[in-house]
Amino acid sequence: MRAVVLISGGLDSMLAVKLTEELGIEPVPVNFDMGFSQAKHRQKVPPKKPHPAGTQILRERGYDVHTIDVAEEYFYNVLLHPRHGYGSQVNPCIDCKIYFQKKAWEYGQTIGAEFIVTGEVLNQRPMSQRRNILFVIEKEAGLEGMVVRPLSGRILPATIPEKKGWIERSRMFDIEGRGRLRQMELAKNYGFAEFETPAGGCLLTEEHIAHRFFDRFRAEGKDNPDFKEYQLLKVGHHFRFSPSCTMVTGRNFYENKYIAEYAPLIRKDALLLDTQDIPGPLSILMGPDCGEHLEIALRITARYTDLKGNAMVKILDKQGNPLSERVSEGIEEWEYAKYRVLLDTAKKR
Ligand code: SF4
């Protein structure tokens, strides 16, 4: 008998795979790429001290982790208009889980899975792991009684797989709350020495990402957003010059590369500002009125070079074709601070 195990990339879902096996069920690990997972982003913009993602660890141990790219569909159908709202940042956790469970079940039906397993722990998170919310989620996903949570299974109502005798309730755990001690013990038993954030890294729970989202929602609305452009919210310093003109300035080689990769894909008019000959950022200036803000954008870009002062900045179209170049005077911090997208200017919902 098989079950689909939802893999977030964090420790809890890795443990869920092992515990499913111990229940005598073949785990089929499935990971959804929803466009804002840290693990996926790190493949393009690696941090200084990387931790291996749960998907990678499981693969190294011989599990065939199936990754399904849902990023664009998730953006339009879940992230922009969550029926249950956002959590403390821009994380639509309840709608997200409903969506993932539905998708997991769709996939499960193609491979003969009987039910779904998650690494959820009762009351671990305030929004989506409260007892009543767990059941709202599975009901709205059309999966009442079909979601097994082996880390907390003994303190949750019996599921259909238990009632049918497919799994033994006594072999599940009774973990509850935010403490991680028991998960750490289990990790040790299973030899999981390294893993990223225990619950799996989701960029939507990060404050700086939320600032950028809410800045954009407030200035541009949600009527005609561009998924590719929103992917740029994951990198760089962010500036807003008008309701329709923003700039993202890369902070390192990988972010510059990321900006160059996404620039041709966005719908808006855009210019790239490049300090090619000296170490510095690549900026993307976006919006129909971006020409009006070119001067200040050039000066900010010059400010972020290693010279921190006057620099030759090349102006390119969004495909990377050179248009012109200008010597730009680096701007002082007090002059550009008002354009930065920061918490106090952005987080007004
Ligand atoms: S933390 Fe992120 S991935 Fe996890 S449920 Fe919330 S929105 Fe979805």
Side-chain angles (χ1 to χ4, degrees):
M1 187 169 282
R2 306 169 124 186
V4 173
V5 185
L6 275 162
I7 302 297
S8 67
L11 174 61
D12 294 346
S13 56
M14 288 156 65
L15 293 175
V17 170
K18 298 302 291 182
L19 296 175
T20 303
E21 239 168 21
E22 298 211 345
L23 290 168
I25 303 293
E26 180 194 341
V28 180
V30 174
N31 171 251
F32 290 103
D33 174 10
M34 38 71 98
F36 287 91
S37 101
Q38 274 185 353
K40 193 79 184 170
H41 185 58
R42 282 175 188 165
Q43 289 172 4
K44 292 197 168 182
V45 181
K48 286 192 181 127
K49 283 189 189 167
H51 291 291
T55 47
Q56 183 190 335
I57 297 169
L58 289 169
R59 283 189 182 114
E60 282 165 7
R61 290 175 172 227
Y63 293 98
D64 184 13
V65 182
H66 191 71
T67 294
I68 303 176
D69 182 347
V70 293
E72 195 156 349
E73 181 182 302
Y74 179 91
F75 175 73
Y76 288 111
N77 296 349
V78 182
L79 184 49
L80 289 180
H81 302 286
R83 286 181 53 234
H84 295 275
Y86 298 107
S88 59
Q89 303 303 329
V90 68
N91 46 314
C93 290
I94 297 176
D95 294 81
C96 178
K97 287 181 178 221
I98 294 168
Y99 176 82
F100 283 167
Q101 287 188 8
K102 277 187 189 163
K103 285 277 161 191
W105 186 236
E106 265 172 42
Y107 175 67
Q109 286 177 311
T110 68
I111 53 146
E114 300 289 348
F115 57 95
I116 287 177
V117 176
T118 76
E120 289 164 305
V121 170
L122 183 62
N123 293 328
Q124 186 183 63
R125 294 200 198 170
M127 184 181 181
S128 59
Q129 286 174 227
R130 294 201 314 268
R131 184 178 289 268
N132 60 329
I133 299 296
L134 290 179
F135 303 117
V136 166
I137 291 169
E138 58 181 58
K139 189 171 178 199
E140 289 197 23
L143 289 166
E144 269 175 292
M146 295 293 282
V147 182
V148 172
R149 303 172 178 91
L151 288 159
S152 294
R154 283 216 317 258
I155 48 173
L156 290 170
T159 57
I160 291 170
E162 288 166 74
K163 289 177 188 164
K164 291 197 172 184
W166 298 340
I167 57 174
E168 273 180 51
R169 186 171 181 81
S170 60
R171 295 176 70 183
M172 294 195 283
F173 285 80
D174 56 356
I175 303 174
E176 180 177 5
R178 299 176 74 87
R180 309 221 47 101
L181 212 59
R182 293 182 68 196
Q183 286 97 313
M184 292 302 181
E185 277 167 18
L186 283 170
K188 208 167 152 193
N189 291 347
Y190 291 126
F192 293 137
E194 264 193 303
F195 38 84
E196 60 174 331
T197 58
C202 170
L203 292 170
L204 301 175
T205 62
E206 295 199 1
E207 207 175 21
H208 70 284
I209 299 286
H211 309 168
R212 297 169 188 175
F213 265 88
F214 291 120
D215 166 70
R216 214 151 265 252
F217 291 164
R218 278 195 308 126
E220 300 179 21
K222 291 182 177 181
D223 288 343
N224 191 23
D226 176 2
F227 164 72
K228 290 286 185 333
E229 190 188 322
Y230 270 73
Q231 292 298 305
L232 288 168
L233 300 191
K234 295 189 277 193
V235 295
H237 298 293
H238 287 246
F239 302 89
R240 174 166 296 285
F241 302 119
S242 77
S244 54
C245 180
T246 55
M247 181 168 79
V248 181
T249 298
R251 291 171 297 191
N252 56 46
F253 167 79
Y254 296 105
E255 290 194 344
N256 290 351
K257 198 164 159 234
Y258 185 96
I259 289 169
E261 184 187 326
Y262 273 91
L265 307 177
I266 67 166
R267 291 199 302 245
K268 274 184 187 158
D269 294 336
L271 294 170
L272 290 169
L273 312 180
D274 189 0
T275 59
Q276 276 171 354
D277 301 332
I278 42 171
L282 178 68
S283 297
I284 179 166
L285 179 64
M286 299 173 275
D289 54 339
C290 62
E292 291 170 31
H293 306 281
L294 181 59
E295 193 53 44
I296 188 97
L298 286 166
R299 291 185 64 206
I300 293 172
T301 302
R303 167 71 171 70
Y304 280 105
T305 62
D306 280 4
L307 299 177
K308 292 188 170 31
N310 293 356
M312 176 68 82
V313 184
K314 294 187 176 163
I315 304 166
L316 308 104
D317 66 18
K318 65 183 180 184
Q319 270 78 28
N321 301 310
L323 300 174
S324 60
E325 55 186 36
R326 280 203 218 160
V327 175
S328 292
E329 185 192 344
I331 194 169
E332 294 296 324
E333 198 170 340
W334 63 266
E335 275 183 272
Y336 72 81
K338 64 181 174 197
Y339 300 111
R340 288 288 300 275
V341 176
L342 295 170
L343 176 62
D344 49 343
T345 58
K347 201 178 176 189
K348 289 189 183 128
R349 289 183 249 171

